[in-house]
Amino acid sequence: MPGTRLSMRKVREVLRLKHALEKVKMNLKLLTSAQIRAGRALIRWTAEDLARETALSVATIRRAELSEDETSMTPASDLAVRRALEAAGVEFIDGNGRGPGVCLQEPKKQELQK
């Protein structure tokens, strides 16, 4: 059928994007339960607050925080938690010889001038 075949240019573009996505997945480390607990504590969010911001259940958040080190969350849930906490000002630190951690992002210059 005409119109159903992909041009070689489009195929190359799809493969390039797929490769880029795989590189991002490899570079993004999953959060630890301690990072999630500490991130919530820094911004004074309850498990209910985080659940609401991520559209995950409170049970999922609590189960992730109770696990030893690595959580049992799916990569999509992990990413949702990461994005919600980062949007609220939490910065995740990968293991730098001392293990993974969290800190608060520095306020932007525009926020300081207000």
Side-chain angles (χ1 to χ4, degrees):
M1 253 199 242
T4 59
R5 294 174 50 149
L6 290 175
S7 70
M8 285 304 291
R9 184 172 152 191
K10 287 185 180 182
V11 169
R12 281 193 296 269
E13 179 66 13
V14 167
L15 291 174
R16 186 188 67 74
L17 290 172
K18 183 178 178 184
H19 179 70
L21 180 60
E22 290 301 320
K23 283 178 72 175
V24 168
K25 284 181 182 177
M26 289 173 57
N27 290 333
L28 188 63
K29 295 191 171 81
L30 296 178
L31 299 174
T32 66
S33 56
Q35 283 179 303
I36 298 170
R37 288 191 309 272
R40 274 197 317 104
L42 281 173
I43 57 175
R44 297 182 178 186
W45 275 9
T46 65
E48 290 80 7
D49 295 330
L50 183 56
R52 183 177 50 255
E53 293 297 318
T54 59
L56 298 173
S57 70
V58 175
T60 298
I61 301 299
R62 290 196 173 128
R63 191 171 41 254
E65 291 183 345
L66 287 174
S67 62
E68 287 289 323
D69 199 34
E70 291 185 11
T71 71
S72 60
M73 287 193 302
T74 64
S77 295
D78 184 272
L79 185 58
V81 168
R82 178 183 292 272
R83 286 183 176 168
L85 291 173
E86 285 177 341
V90 174
E91 183 176 333
F92 293 99
I93 304 165
D94 289 330
N96 56 357
R98 299 177 70 187
V102 297
C103 65
L104 285 175
Q105 295 173 354
E106 291 185 28
K108 295 178 178 70
K109 290 183 180 182
Q110 293 173 345
E111 292 175 3
L112 292 174
Q113 294 174 353
K114 289 183 182 178

